[in-house]
Amino acid sequence: MSTMKKLMIAGNWKLHMNVHQSSVLMQRLHERIRIHRDVEVVIAPTMLSLQPLSVQLDRRKFRLASQNANHHDEGAFTGEVSFSMLRDIVHYGLVGHSDRRYKFNESLEDTRDKVAAAIRNGITPILCVGETQTEKLAGETDLVLHDQVTTALQNVTADEVRNMVIAYEPVWALSNGTNFRDVQTPTPDIIAKAANTIRRNIADIYGQEVADSVRVLYGGSAHAANSSGLLAIKEIDGLLIGGASMNYHEFSKMVDAAVKEAHSRKG
């Protein structure tokens, strides 16, 4: 079971909203979300919106994450943005999201190199892992999680792993962004088992204390109506939210649910 850590509610805006629209949504969230000591609220807008939002947002309430970056710090990689360019803008960086793995064919080794690059540049990775529908039906979930976790952490020290965030995102439970209420959400025992598997893989390499320090999030069709139930799963430490994070009513309610859960865990 996870020890008491600051819960995280992270919103991945994916390929949505221009700079102006992102700024408007940020303002709406700012109006509705208070400063919370026990909950960390993270926003991952498009690359183009990161810099203007970094000036706009209240850093006592929000932290920024990049959705992706190149693992090279610099060089002849036209069109790319590196973690070294993001180091003064973002606190976190999504790495290995299923969109990157399955739509852009990023390999286990690509993910490994991006984890190392983020850490090298003072950015905390939010490593995304999870199985596809085919892998789930074949009973390969534990194997997939093992390969994704252990490969990603190959070039990382125990102290660096301790501060990382890992998001369990079963690919079969992800929406396309607009139908987030119509997608099958895993049962609490499936999520708890996956979180325990992730921690066991970390413990095998770095020891139980490091494994217990890592925050494990759940991602996959989380929204306001199911967020309290998901956050009540003691093995997880927050949520990575897609479609619902672009609806300020939904997202602010999910932050409220996390605040309640944080208080009950302290209880």
Side-chain angles (χ1 to χ4, degrees), residues 132-146:
T132 63
Q133 177 80 355
T134 306
E135 291 162 342
K136 172 181 177 252
L137 293 174
E140 295 172 352
T141 298
D142 284 2
L143 183 64
V144 170
L145 292 177
H146 172 271

Side-chain angles (χ1 to χ4, degrees), residues 11 17 24 33-34 44 73 79 94 105 122 164 171 176 180 191 202 204 207 213 215 218 234 263:
M17 297 182 290
V24 171
I33 293 172
R34 299 199 306 276
D73 285 349
L94 296 183
N105 300 314
M164 278 180 62
V171 183
N176 64 12
F180 54 82
I191 296 171
I202 297 170
D204 287 345
S213 298
R215 281 185 288 181
Y218 168 71
K234 299 304 183 208
H263 290 165

Side-chain angles (χ1 to χ4, degrees), residues 25-83:
L25 178 53
M26 195 75 243
Q27 181 58 33
R28 297 279 183 272
L29 293 173
H30 175 67
E31 289 164 1
R32 283 161 179 77
I33 293 172
R34 299 199 306 276
I35 298 167
H36 296 296
R37 185 170 294 159
D38 302 321
V39 176
E40 193 171 16
V41 184
V42 179
I43 303 294
T46 64
M47 199 69 84
L48 208 56
S49 297
L50 277 173
Q51 201 281 328
L53 287 188
S54 76
V55 179
Q56 176 187 350
L57 62 70
D58 183 339
R59 289 176 183 268
R60 296 170 302 169
K61 293 184 181 183
F62 303 102
R63 283 186 154 158
L64 284 177
S66 57
Q67 295 179 14
N68 181 44
N70 193 284
H71 71 272
H72 294 93
D73 285 349
E74 58 184 17
F77 304 101
T78 302
E80 292 295 283
V81 174
S82 68
F83 283 107

Side-chain angles (χ1 to χ4, degrees), residues 6 23 40 44 65 77 91 94 124 126 141 145 156 162-163 166 168 175 209 212 223 230 237 245 250 257-258 264:
K6 187 180 280 197
S23 175
E40 193 171 16
F77 304 101
H91 192 91
L94 296 183
T124 302
I126 300 176
T141 298
L145 292 177
V156 184
R162 188 180 274 110
N163 295 314
I166 300 183
Y168 171 58
S175 72
E209 189 268 328
D212 288 340
H223 49 83
L230 291 169
D237 306 294
S245 69
E250 287 274 325
S264 80

